[in-house]
Amino acid sequence: MFLFMGLIIISRLFSLQIIDKKYSIMANEQGRFRMVVYPNRGILFDRKGRAILRNTIIYDLMVTPSKIHGMHLDTADLCRILKIDTAEFRKRIITGIIKNRSYRPSVFETSLSEEKIARLNESMYKFVPAFYLQARPVRDYPFDAAGNILGYLSEVDSNFLKRHEGEGYQMGDYAGKTGLERSYEKVLMGQRGIEYWKRDNKNRLTERLENGRYDTAAVPGENLHMALDIDLQKLGEHLMENKVGSIVALDPKTGGILALVSSPTFNPNLLTGAERRKHFSQLFLDPRLPLYNRAVSATYSPGSTFKTLQALIGLQEGVIAPSTRFTCTGAFYGCGRPMKCLDIGTFNLTQAITVSDNTYFANVMQRCINNPVYGSVDSALRVWDHYMYGFGLGNKLGIDIPGERAGLIPTPRTYNRIYGDGHWNFCTFRSVSIGQGEVLTTPLQIANEMAYIANNGWYITPHMIDSIDGGDKFGLLDSFKLRHRPLSIPDSIFTYVADGMQGVMERGTGAAAKVPGIVVCGKTGTVENYYKGIKQKDHAVFAAFAPRENPKIAIAVICENAGFGASSSAPIASLMIEKYLKDSITEPDRVARIEAISKLNLMPARIMAEIRQRDSIAKAKNAKALLEKTYIKSIKDTTGIEDEDNSDALDELNKTNDSTNSKMESKTIPITKTSDTVPGKREKIKSQPTNAVLPDRKKSKIKNDSSH
């Protein structure tokens, strides 16, 4: 009997100690702790080596729900420290289990404040092993600028993990969701490390297990070097205060983006820290859509800036010569119905560009489309389309920022769909000749047009990043090293166009954009636009490159509903050009002009109406249903950004609406969204108002936030 009992005890001990690993694992878990070490993400430097996106450390409170069972957890004490109630505690635990299973760590509360960290450190021994503090690098923006360029980080969800399976992500990780953070995620993210620590009998961490023998070092992300000039970017954002629109400036020789402004804009620091989720909800739900980047996503008719390209085609096709003259008596009558012309007189090509004569360029395009060499209007338009694609229009250029749109260059298929096969001719779309009608471009494309002309027929794809520390292992920069010369247009043709553009600055509508001591070639534009079928105040457009010899900057400025390009967009471009080429603006009258322009309020009244409409929806009894079905859907469709938590966003809107509306009404900066051309609505490019802004948490005033 004793031998039999002894054998049973020995076999049981053998099973528990050798075969069954359960208690061994429990003992090990009690005595040691596996800590994930998150690497520093790569830093972004501007063209002068200044860090414009860097890292700081925050702490998340993590929980492993399965470890709560069997603990004598002081839930009330933890809730008191975190300033939540027990219902919220249970909700977070359930959410963690649903998202990441009960046996895996999940984020219980992110970005803890210094006060909460201090209180938790005093009492942490009460909450382990179920809870622990996780150090995590987060982003810091020392210049409070370029929010739409840099983008933001957000916690990954199950859909993200499915799309990026096998790439090392797990629940609780953060990844780039917009901007450069998204485009260069695989370069910036680095690789996580692991550290093993010993615990004492109170579950406090004491020392590294076997002096770190089993640890894996974290590998930081690679640093990126940008073409951006942060001082120029800040000046652009300042000049665009109280305005709706965009500025794009690039180096025509390299394609590097010097400044990319979407106005109104937002302080990128709002999307880091303890209140990041609250701020995101406000930004996401605000009608101004600040998370939408107008510079690459908004589409506009280019207006008279388009005439420079019409001139290139006309000269290359031989339908005009530089000396060809047309007379304007007040309108273009080539199609029976008059198309108004503001400049009375007879002009050659250079003069026509200088005075921006509508009649001249209507005649040029009419000759191109009716050119007997091509046999039909259909074939001639296809040739014209080929030129426009060569200029970089009608397709995405391929910039390294998400959300770029292709714009629209009308094709025979476009008009066949609208009017029927063979039921259209040049007179059907004559307004395209002056940059109106069905043609749509992004601000980025207009700036690239200027680079194309400045370079006498070639361009490099516009881009934000010039180089990557450690080399371009993934080939992300390969496309930014190639010169694109899709068309064989002689340099002499570009000279005639540049002569006209220089005339714009010296004798024409661009006089307001003169830069002391610098020869600028520019073109103003005034763009008709409609909203809900009602004609609005014209958009103001200006595009230029400078200096004429050895150009170093190409720029496009659009101010929505601001009237003539010469009165608003041109002065902004002038100051941007001077700042970049001279590195500073010192003349007192020019400095005073900066402040005068920044204070110039060009906001359309309909924008404020959009805010009021949003507020009235939020106050309705069925606000949540309305917002979920219409408002949020429209935001997603416009921006392409998925909200992180609809319920949080809706709660935030309803909670803050009554208390903040009056302040926003007086301080926010509205913006509009330009939609694609509606089939059948020729010569009317409609726009829908949108608005967005959040308070700068470091300042008392509201800083402009925009999206288009």
Side-chain angles (χ1 to χ4, degrees):
M1 180 65 71
F2 282 111
L3 287 174
F4 180 71
M5 293 300 295
L7 287 172
I8 291 175
I9 293 171
I10 291 171
S11 63
R12 182 59 178 158
L13 289 173
F14 180 81
S15 174
L16 290 174
Q17 296 185 30
I18 306 299
I19 298 175
D20 191 343
K21 302 296 183 181
K22 176 182 177 182
Y23 294 99
S24 174
I25 292 171
M26 289 175 65
N28 286 334
E29 285 191 350
Q30 186 67 25
R32 70 187 184 191
F33 177 69
R34 179 181 182 272
M35 179 184 291
V36 177
V37 181
Y38 286 93
N40 283 325
R41 286 179 72 87
I43 299 172
L44 271 68
F45 298 92
D46 85 335
R47 67 188 300 108
K48 295 181 180 179
R50 294 166 292 193
I52 64 173
L53 177 56
R54 58 193 184 188
N55 298 300
T56 187
I57 298 296
I58 58 97
Y59 287 87
D60 294 343
L61 181 62
M62 308 294 292
V63 63
T64 306
S66 63
K67 294 184 178 182
I68 294 177
H69 299 295
M71 288 182 59
H72 298 290
L73 181 65
D74 190 345
T75 305
D77 192 26
L78 182 59
C79 290
R80 178 182 57 79
I81 293 172
L82 298 178
K83 298 179 181 178
I84 61 175
D85 56 26
T86 54
E88 178 64 20
F89 178 90
R90 288 192 294 271
K91 176 184 175 183
R92 293 184 184 185
I93 294 296
I94 293 170
T95 300
I97 294 172
I98 293 172
K99 283 185 174 182
N100 208 24
R101 307 290 179 86
S102 63
Y103 55 86
R104 291 176 179 167
S106 299
V107 178
F108 188 79
E109 182 164 331
T110 186
S111 305
L112 295 165
S113 65
E114 293 181 4
E115 177 190 354
K116 289 181 180 180
I117 292 171
R119 291 181 179 276
L120 282 169
N121 279 327
E122 292 176 356
S123 308
M124 201 65 205
Y125 69 92
K126 301 178 183 178
F127 312 128
V128 292
F131 290 87
Y132 66 92
L133 291 174
Q134 174 70 63
R136 188 190 303 275
V138 296
R139 295 311 221 174
D140 177 56
Y141 306 85
F143 291 93
D144 291 346
N148 290 104
I149 298 172
L150 301 175
Y152 65 89
L153 303 178
S154 180
E155 185 179 350
V156 302
D157 57 18
S158 57
N159 290 329
F160 183 94
L161 293 176
K162 289 178 182 177
R163 292 195 304 269
H164 299 273
E165 187 176 357
E167 297 181 20
Y169 292 101
Q170 61 186 30
M171 292 300 293
D173 288 352
Y174 281 70
K177 290 298 182 74
T178 61
L180 295 175
E181 293 276 28
R182 174 179 168 186
S183 298
Y184 291 91
E185 167 68 15
K186 63 172 64 175
V187 175
L188 293 168
M189 65 180 288
Q191 297 179 15
R192 289 187 301 274
I194 301 294
E195 292 179 355
Y196 293 94
W197 289 77
K198 292 182 180 179
R199 281 176 167 156
D200 62 14
N201 61 346
K202 291 187 177 180
N203 283 307
R204 293 174 298 194
L205 302 183
T206 57
E207 60 182 358
R208 303 275 276 277
L209 183 66
E210 295 193 22
N211 295 319
R213 178 182 176 184
Y214 301 107
D215 293 353
T216 303
V219 179
E222 300 291 354
N223 299 330
L224 306 182
H225 298 270
M226 306 177 67
L228 188 82
D229 185 322
I230 193 60
D231 288 336
L232 190 66
Q233 177 74 21
K234 289 181 67 177
L235 175 62
E237 292 185 9
H238 183 51
L239 291 169
M240 289 298 291
E241 289 180 8
N242 304 306
K243 300 164 191 67
V244 176
S246 178
I247 303 173
V248 179
L250 56 84
D251 183 339
K253 300 302 181 187
T254 66
I257 299 290
L258 306 174
L260 190 142
V261 177
S262 177
S263 180
T265 188
F266 65 96
N267 181 350
N269 278 302
L270 292 170
L271 296 183
T272 63
E275 295 192 319
R276 189 199 73 84
R277 199 169 186 83
K278 169 187 172 183
H279 291 156
F280 178 86
S281 296
Q282 291 175 329
L283 284 167
F284 181 80
L285 289 170
D286 195 298
R288 283 169 295 260
L289 303 178
L291 302 175
Y292 188 49
N293 190 342
R294 292 170 177 252
V296 299
S297 299
T299 54
Y300 306 84
S301 295
S304 293
T305 60
F306 200 62
K307 294 172 182 175
T308 56
L309 304 183
Q310 297 283 32
L312 292 175
I313 298 174
L315 290 171
Q316 177 68 5
E317 284 293 294
V319 297
I320 60 167
S323 59
T324 301
R325 304 172 74 86
F326 293 107
T327 299
C328 175
T329 59
F332 169 70
Y333 294 98
C335 292
R337 293 180 296 110
M339 184 172 71
K340 190 174 181 181
C341 176
L342 298 177
D343 301 286
I344 310 299
T346 300
F347 310 103
N348 62 22
L349 177 65
T350 299
Q351 294 166 338
I353 294 174
T354 297
V355 302
S356 196
D357 182 60
N358 288 348
T359 294
Y360 194 97
F361 294 98
N363 276 293
V364 171
M365 188 173 184
Q366 185 176 39
R367 288 189 176 188
C368 290
I369 299 302
N370 294 337
N371 192 341
V373 170
Y374 298 111
S376 69
V377 173
D378 186 290
S379 297
L381 182 58
R382 292 181 189 278
V383 172
W384 183 87
D385 289 335
H386 175 72
Y387 279 105
M388 289 300 166
Y389 298 148
F391 298 147
L393 305 184
N395 291 287
K396 296 179 181 180
L397 289 168
I399 188 174
D400 48 352
I401 290 183
E404 183 188 3
R405 291 190 178 177
L408 177 65
I409 292 298
T411 65
R413 183 179 178 182
T414 304
Y415 296 119
N416 285 338
R417 187 174 64 248
I418 297 173
Y419 303 104
D421 293 358
H423 294 285
W424 54 271
N425 55 36
F426 167 73
C427 293
T428 309
F429 55 87
R430 61 180 185 166
S431 58
V432 169
S433 65
I434 58 172
Q436 293 278 175
E438 289 77 19
V439 63
L440 292 172
T441 57
T442 64
L444 175 69
Q445 289 173 332
I446 297 176
N448 191 63
E449 289 175 24
M450 295 297 105
Y452 178 85
I453 296 172
N455 292 331
N456 289 344
W458 61 269
Y459 67 89
I460 295 175
T461 301
H463 56 277
M464 302 299 310
I465 303 302
D466 278 342
S467 64
I468 302 172
D469 283 354
D472 184 15
K473 301 173 185 177
F474 301 102
L476 300 176
L477 307 182
D478 289 349
S479 62
F480 307 139
K481 299 173 183 178
L482 304 174
R483 285 191 180 188
H484 300 283
R485 188 184 286 273
L487 304 168
S488 298
I489 300 178
D491 289 357
S492 58
I493 289 180
F494 289 96
T495 299
Y496 294 121
V497 173
D499 287 343
M501 295 176 68
Q502 184 175 339
V504 170
M505 309 305 295
E506 296 176 352
R507 303 179 299 279
T509 54
K514 283 185 178 179
V515 180
I518 298 174
V519 177
V520 179
C521 294
K523 188 73 190 75
T524 58
T526 304
V527 180
E528 291 185 359
N529 62 101
Y530 292 77
Y531 174 63
K532 294 184 178 179
I534 300 173
K535 190 177 187 306
Q536 304 295 305
K537 190 174 182 180
D538 296 334
H539 295 327
V541 184
F542 182 80
F545 64 87
R548 178 168 180 177
E549 299 300 325
N550 191 25
K552 292 181 173 60
I553 183 172
I555 190 168
V557 181
I558 295 178
C559 291
E560 295 185 23
N561 306 119
F564 291 107
S567 61
S568 54
S569 296
I572 290 173
S574 172
L575 292 164
M576 294 286 286
I577 291 170
E578 181 176 0
K579 170 67 177 174
Y580 180 69
L581 295 181
K582 296 185 176 182
D583 198 46
S584 62
I585 299 174
T586 57
E587 295 182 15
D589 62 326
R590 301 284 285 176
V591 174
R593 197 171 195 185
I594 293 174
E595 296 309 312
I597 291 175
S598 70
K599 294 176 182 177
L600 181 63
N601 192 331
L602 299 174
M603 289 300 144
R606 60 184 175 79
I607 298 297
M608 301 314 297
E610 197 70 11
I611 297 178
R612 289 190 289 272
Q613 181 183 13
R614 186 278 310 266
D615 295 343
S616 65
I617 291 175
K619 291 176 182 177
K621 291 182 179 180
N622 59 343
K624 185 172 182 178
L626 286 172
L627 288 168
E628 285 180 334
K629 292 179 180 179
T630 58
Y631 187 70
I632 286 181
K633 183 179 184 302
S634 68
I635 292 173
K636 289 182 181 180
D637 291 344
T638 302
T639 64
I641 297 173
E642 291 292 330
D643 57 326
E644 298 172 347
D645 189 326
N646 278 353
S647 61
D648 281 359
L650 291 167
D651 290 345
E652 183 61 37
L653 178 63
N654 290 321
K655 179 177 68 176
T656 61
N657 190 53
D658 291 336
S659 62
T660 61
N661 281 343
S662 60
K663 295 179 182 178
M664 292 177 66
E665 187 98 4
S666 61
K667 295 182 180 180
T668 54
I669 301 301
I671 52 183
T672 62
K673 168 184 174 290
T674 302
S675 66
D676 288 342
T677 304
V678 178
K681 298 294 184 180
R682 186 168 49 89
E683 300 183 20
K684 294 185 179 181
I685 306 303
K686 298 185 177 182
S687 58
Q688 300 173 348
T690 56
N691 303 267
V693 78
L694 269 184
D696 187 327
R697 63 186 180 188
K698 295 182 179 179
K699 302 175 184 178
S700 60
K701 70 177 184 177
I702 296 245
K703 191 172 182 180
N704 300 340
D705 263 307
S706 102
S707 59
H708 195 88

